[in-house]
Amino acid sequence: MSDTPSSPSRVIPIQVDSGTAYDKPAPSSNLELTQVGKGTPMGEWLRRYWHPIGVLSDASSTPRKVRVLGEDLILFRDLSGRPGLVYPHCAHRGTSLFYGKVEEKGIRCCYHGWLFDAQGQCMERPCEPAPDAHRHKVRQPWYPVQELYGLIWAYMGPPDKKPVLPRYECLETLEDGEFLEANDNSIGGGGPQVIPCNWLQHYENLVDPFHVVILHSAFSGTQFVEQMALMPEVTWDTQAHSVRTVSIRHLPDGNVLRRISEAGLPTLRVIPSPRIGRYGMVESLGWVLPIDDHSFRIYVVGRVKEKGELVKMRSRLNGKLWEELTEEEHQQYPGDYEAMVSQGVIAHHSEEHLAQSDIGIVKLRRLLKQQLQRIQDGLDPAGVSFDVNSPPVHFSAGNFLVCKEDLKN
Ligand code: FES
Ligand SMILES: [Fe+2]
């Protein structure tokens, strides 16, 4: 019998795990592209354009609180019909004009009755010994507003840089029986009016045609039409005032669906209907309005043939509208709201792994960065015009059918 000690059992080192969440650095976001407050690069660029801030009826004799680009404001319509948008704190001693009373010539503060017109000019100071004296020296801070396409538009940038309020070819060219309809309902896939995440998450969604195939077709059932479930061949290109996405789908009948959508500057959703009710030029435009860094909402104007048509186009998941779904159903049938809001209040850009299918996102961010640079260089942003006779803005977006016979030629 050998007295050699039994050989020690071999020590097999424990394999060190890699990629665990323990080593993950804290996430960060691209603040240059996401912050919208006054004085930030994006905030200043956005302030060089007109933005929709309400539907026409939002401006009424009842003052309304609105929040736009991180600023709290009061919207009203004086009794002679002029809309006004003013800083909330009265120029006298700061009481909110939300409690003001709207009159023929403007809005009157509840505290001491100073009256301001739609351009902030002080019209009356009833408690002063000489109510009319010096009133011209007081101005309630205000912003210019205009009404067009059923929406109220505000310009919140430097006064000497105010461009003309643009008109759009696809809203100016109406077929027989068509009329314009405006609404402030939500993102197409449904959700509350105010979406609790950064506006850029929705803006980037516009150049992301692949999520239509996965999220809106495979994952949550066919939300639109069957053609949209086909995996497209996609190309993107940067235009003067948009990033354009061209999606080609080879249909089972041999025809080709050529779908062009655009993310237009500064916040435009130029997306033809994914329900493909008719072919041709895009039917509606949407504007993503950044409320602040952490929320946005959407205004839409479309050519319709029936009243309420835009609202009827809202997606249903499992046969229900977004707000009718239970938490479990939201989990089972997620839509744009769930996909975008769960990216974070502001998406964690440092943790992204962009791939080939994100080329549109890269192009869009590049275009936005170029725009921020233009402002820093003292130039005008893309797409603004100072000529009242400038033609309507043209987009090439639409759903187009290329018949197989034409493909052969
Ligand atoms: S605080 Fe508004 S009138 Fe005095
Ligand atoms: Fe979507």
Side-chain angles (χ1 to χ4, degrees), residues 187-189 202 205 208 211-212 215-216 223-224 335-337 340:
I187 47 180
H202 188 64
N205 175 277
D208 178 2
H211 88 277
V212 174
L215 179 73
H216 295 306
Q223 285 179 25
F224 303 135
D336 284 317
Y337 179 94
M340 293 185 306

Side-chain angles (χ1 to χ4, degrees), residues 53-91:
I53 58 147
V55 294
L56 294 187
S57 58
D58 287 344
S60 75
S61 57
T62 304
R64 183 185 181 93
K65 291 179 186 174
V66 293
R67 188 164 163 78
V68 184
L69 303 177
E71 295 185 43
D72 288 311
L73 300 163
I74 300 294
L75 177 66
F76 68 96
R77 185 186 296 280
D78 70 21
L79 300 187
S80 62
R82 280 177 308 180
L85 182 67
V86 291
Y87 178 66
H89 297 289
C90 171

Side-chain angles (χ1 to χ4, degrees), residues 32-157:
E32 190 190 29
L33 292 185
T34 51
Q35 289 184 330
V36 298
K38 215 187 262 183
T40 62
M42 179 56 77
E44 288 304 312
W45 176 71
L46 288 167
R47 277 169 174 76
R48 301 289 291 275
Y49 296 89
W50 288 87
H51 295 274
I53 58 147
V55 294
L56 294 187
S57 58
D58 287 344
S60 75
S61 57
T62 304
R64 183 185 181 93
K65 291 179 186 174
V66 293
R67 188 164 163 78
V68 184
L69 303 177
E71 295 185 43
D72 288 311
L73 300 163
I74 300 294
L75 177 66
F76 68 96
R77 185 186 296 280
D78 70 21
L79 300 187
S80 62
R82 280 177 308 180
L85 182 67
V86 291
Y87 178 66
H89 297 289
C90 171
H92 179 215
R93 281 172 45 210
T95 290
S96 176
L97 294 174
F98 179 66
Y99 302 105
K101 192 161 144 239
V102 172
E103 301 183 1
E104 185 73 20
K105 285 190 191 155
I107 186 165
R108 189 181 295 279
C109 178
C110 68
Y111 207 5
H112 313 98
W114 289 22
L115 177 71
F116 303 100
D117 75 4
Q119 298 193 330
Q121 295 173 106
C122 184
M123 311 303 285
E124 281 178 26
R125 299 192 302 166
C127 307
E128 294 306 295
D132 238 21
H134 308 302
R135 70 174 170 87
H136 303 288
K137 292 183 189 157
V138 182
R139 193 87 184 240
Q140 181 66 22
W142 66 290
Y143 285 124
V145 288
Q146 284 193 55
E147 297 175 281
L148 182 66
Y149 299 140
L151 298 175
I152 299 179
W153 302 78
Y155 175 75
M156 295 168 60

Side-chain angles (χ1 to χ4, degrees), residues 177-393:
E178 281 187 334
F179 58 95
L180 294 184
E181 186 168 62
N183 87 30
D184 59 353
N185 268 316
S186 185
I187 47 180
Q193 279 185 323
V194 174
I195 310 290
C197 70
N198 188 263
W199 75 281
L200 190 67
Q201 276 142 255
H202 188 64
Y203 196 48
E204 291 184 343
N205 175 277
L206 308 180
V207 291
D208 178 2
F210 291 106
H211 88 277
V212 174
V213 183
I214 304 300
L215 179 73
H216 295 306
S217 302
F219 215 89
S220 296
T222 301
Q223 285 179 25
F224 303 135
V225 289
E226 274 171 17
Q227 293 100 305
M228 298 310 288
L230 296 168
M231 190 60 82
E233 293 160 12
V234 178
T235 51
W236 294 268
D237 56 6
T238 304
Q239 305 277 308
H241 57 271
S242 75
V243 169
R244 206 166 68 136
T245 307
V246 180
S247 304
I248 302 288
R249 285 177 167 84
H250 295 276
L251 304 177
D253 61 7
N255 295 330
V256 165
L257 170 61
R258 186 163 185 266
R259 180 172 160 79
I260 304 177
S261 51
E262 292 175 77
L265 297 180
T267 66
L268 270 97
R269 183 173 85 183
V270 194
I271 306 284
S273 170
R275 289 174 179 79
I276 319 187
R278 49 192 146 146
Y279 292 104
M281 181 170 58
V282 63
E283 310 86 346
S284 72
L285 294 178
W287 289 263
V288 186
L289 177 73
I291 294 172
D292 50 30
D293 297 349
H294 305 135
S295 58
F296 69 88
R297 62 182 305 160
I298 295 185
Y299 291 98
V300 180
V301 178
R303 306 191 314 271
V304 297
K305 288 195 165 163
E306 244 179 79
K307 213 164 182 282
E309 206 174 306
L310 286 182
V311 180
K312 277 191 217 141
M313 292 212 289
R314 286 187 65 194
S315 293
R316 284 174 188 271
L317 298 135
N318 200 24
K320 295 181 182 176
L321 289 172
W322 183 89
E323 57 271 24
E324 296 166 347
L325 297 172
T326 63
E327 186 61 20
E328 288 71 29
E329 286 171 316
H330 281 303
Q331 199 175 10
Q332 220 179 339
Y333 304 100
D336 284 317
Y337 179 94
E338 288 72 23
M340 293 185 306
V341 173
S342 65
Q343 288 178 294
V345 173
I346 302 180
H348 303 161
H349 299 114
S350 63
E351 296 182 347
E352 293 174 337
H353 294 84
L354 299 182
Q356 290 290 314
S357 52
D358 299 307
I359 289 173
I361 309 277
V362 174
K363 284 184 184 287
L364 189 58
R365 290 181 187 174
R366 199 175 288 153
L367 177 62
L368 290 174
K369 284 183 183 167
Q370 285 165 359
Q371 289 300 307
L372 302 187
Q373 189 60 49
R374 285 185 68 84
I375 300 300
Q376 273 177 23
D377 294 344
L379 301 169
D380 291 321
V384 298
S385 169
F386 300 93
D387 176 3
V388 287
N389 294 316
S390 50
V393 178

